[in-house]
Amino acid sequence: NAGVTQTPKFQVLKTGQSMTLQCAQDMNHEYMSWYRQDPGMGLRLIHYSVGAGITDQGEVPNGYNVSRSTTEDFPLRLLSAAPSQTSVYFCASSYSAGGLYNEQFFGPGTRLTVL
Amino acid sequence: DQQVKQNSPSLSVQEGRISILNCDYTNSMFDYFLWYKKYPAEGPTFLISISSIKDKNEDGRFTVFLNKSAKHLSLHIVPSQPGDSAVYFCAASAVNDYKLSFGAGTTVTVRA
């Protein structure tokens, strides 16, 4: 199993550009999410999905869109990039919600710089 | 407002000694707590967890203690090894809730 994969690993954008961060998992997990990591802030939840066709907002959703057309894929779209979106982005998935099975598996991350 | 707080940004410990990482939370609905370890340029990896019905969980060199009345948990690493040098995140979730709330992380450096 590849686990959770993310592409690209690095990306530089200019302000106003749009792009999609890709995330895929091969563990048949129902739950997937996107986090951003900023210095001194830990990981903050952007959007999450509890299954194909179902998405919801997390703590910091503004400026980002997601969709979940398949169980495996959960892309994150930046609509119009801003310098404040410079961050490291992590995708994660888990088998279930809450409790014993809420161990989330993380991808290796995408480091995004917006100039 | 952060519901999970790690007030020590960094910790330096000598190899072979104990590392103690602390975490406080404010949401009384949290019932499951996890610790993640993160190396540079990698994603976080699950380390150990504890349910609110327990006050201690042990896995090899790692032990997590939970004090629900104080809304406090700690991670003990004994003995500390150079490979333990990493950022450690405390996380928590509420009953049947997929979402995890993370602390800001503590960077552990193990000195030879």
Side-chain angles (χ1 to χ4, degrees):
Chain A
N1 284 353
V4 180
T5 58
Q6 292 183 237
T7 56
K9 289 192 185 310
F10 301 95
Q11 183 70 50
V12 178
L13 293 177
K14 294 181 179 178
T15 296
Q17 286 185 315
S18 63
M19 78 159 295
T20 299
L21 308 185
Q22 301 292 343
C23 173
Q25 52 91 10
D26 61 358
M27 297 174 283
N28 202 32
H29 284 170
E30 289 295 322
Y31 296 84
M32 297 187 73
S33 54
W34 277 100
Y35 294 87
R36 58 178 290 173
Q37 183 195 3
D38 302 291
M41 304 288 287
L43 286 86
R44 292 182 293 169
L45 183 65
I46 304 171
H47 284 286
Y48 66 100
S49 168
V50 299
I54 307 170
T55 64
D56 207 344
Q57 296 181 349
E59 184 183 353
V60 288
N62 292 341
Y64 308 95
N65 270 359
V66 291
S67 60
R68 183 98 179 269
S69 56
T70 67
T71 299
E72 294 77 21
D73 300 298
F74 191 42
L76 177 72
R77 296 183 189 84
L78 279 71
L79 309 172
S80 177
S84 61
Q85 293 179 304
T86 294
S87 187
V88 181
Y89 291 84
F90 292 101
C91 179
S93 72
S94 81
Y95 174 74
S96 183
L100 183 62
Y101 299 104
N102 200 16
E103 173 192 336
Q104 295 190 20
F105 295 82
F106 284 81
T110 295
R111 184 174 294 274
L112 175 69
T113 301
V114 183
L115 302 175
Chain B
D1 187 30
Q2 271 198 311
Q3 301 182 73
V4 178
K5 297 181 182 179
Q6 294 175 256
N7 292 320
S8 297
S10 63
L11 172 69
S12 180
V13 63
Q14 195 163 11
E15 183 179 0
R17 306 296 290 267
I18 184 171
S19 294
I20 300 176
L21 291 77
N22 294 302
C23 177
D24 298 294
Y25 62 96
T26 58
N27 188 341
S28 58
M29 298 301 292
F30 287 152
D31 75 328
Y32 192 63
F33 305 89
L34 308 90
W35 286 92
Y36 281 84
K37 178 179 180 178
K38 185 184 178 305
Y39 292 118
E42 295 184 9
T45 55
F46 171 75
L47 186 60
I48 192 170
S49 63
I50 188 167
S51 165
S52 61
I53 62 174
K54 295 186 175 182
D55 55 18
K56 176 182 174 181
N57 188 26
E58 193 171 352
D59 184 1
R61 296 185 297 114
F62 303 92
T63 302
V64 57
F65 296 92
L66 175 62
N67 182 334
K68 284 198 305 181
S69 61
K71 293 190 176 67
H72 176 83
L73 62 155
S74 61
L75 174 69
H76 292 207
I77 307 173
V78 184
S80 299
Q81 299 176 352
D84 297 330
S85 295
V87 179
Y88 290 79
F89 290 102
C90 174
S93 68
V95 177
N96 294 325
D97 190 354
Y98 167 73
K99 301 187 296 295
L100 289 179
S101 296
F102 282 85
T106 297
T107 300
V108 173
T109 303
V110 180
R111 311 185 309 271

